[in-house]
Amino acid sequence: MQKVFRQFYEQPTIEVARQLLGKYLVRKHREGTTVGRIVETEAYVGPQDLACHASKGWTRRTEVMFGPPGHAYVYLIYGFYNMLNFVTEPVDHPAAVLVRAVEPVQGIELMRRRRNSQSLKSLASGPGKLCQAFAIDRSLNGTDLCGSVICIQDRGEPAPKLLATPRIGVDYAGKWKGKRLRFLVRGNGFVSRA
DNA sequence: CAAGAGATCATCT
DNA sequence: GATGATCTCTTGA
């Protein structure tokens, strides 16, 4: 039950994305604490990565990615859904890991209420769903992951078996669209898609 | 079950 | 003024 330190996030983005699988996302909120086991992530590795928002250069939106590692990058997509990312690598290397799915562990009733859904599998099996279940929105952009609002716990379980696939929804990214930068826990039923 | 449409808005051009 | 790192619901078989 060890909180992950900042130096974990400073590693190469792909390493962070892989090592996050099997760790626990902890979100503290006045309504209660929600916890999920991370089962799916995607790496957005830097300015040369055409699928990474930072490939467009520094903007107010991507500012957080240019800062120090171990902070949350949260943005709104399609006018509806928030996406939760963790900033990785040293200052001035803009990169992040998108957290795409978790297996609900604690605060399940709270998640059901927020998601208006009974099915355990649909509570956080996708980046938008996850943010809804964990009450994460743009107001949390820039949150320090070494604080108490959002953090990652290593509960000491051995690294799960992985599967690497192309990332979802980045068809516009040219030669980067086919790169296998999406990582899932093999055989886990809580991923957004097999 | 698969496919398609529609919802809705912050951000950047 | 265009455009998404998505999800849900409806349709039709």
Side-chain angles (χ1 to χ4, degrees), chain A residues 19 21-23 37 154-162 185:
Chain A
Q19 291 181 29
L21 299 179
K23 291 194 169 51
R37 178 171 174 262
D154 186 343
R155 299 194 171 180
E157 65 179 74
K161 291 247 194 296
L162 306 187
V185 173

Side-chain angles (χ1 to χ4, degrees), chain A residues 49-127:
Chain A
D49 177 357
L50 296 177
C52 182
H53 290 164
S55 65
K56 305 271 199 283
W58 190 97
T59 65
R60 198 159 73 254
R61 180 210 210 183
T62 60
E63 180 179 10
V64 197
M65 276 199 279
F66 286 79
H71 292 259
Y73 168 45
V74 185
Y75 67 93
L76 188 70
I77 190 69
Y78 302 121
F80 282 86
Y81 297 102
N82 292 285
M83 303 278 116
L84 172 64
N85 300 255
F86 298 157
V87 175
T88 57
E89 314 224 23
V91 173
D92 289 333
H93 182 133
V97 173
L98 170 67
V99 185
R100 286 190 55 90
V102 306
E103 180 175 339
V105 170
Q106 184 189 323
I108 292 172
E109 286 314 311
L110 185 51
M111 296 186 207
R112 281 204 233 266
R113 228 177 305 142
R114 287 170 175 161
R115 291 268 308 125
N116 192 26
S117 162
Q118 286 305 304
S119 156
L120 193 61
K121 285 202 177 188
S122 73
L123 290 183
S125 56

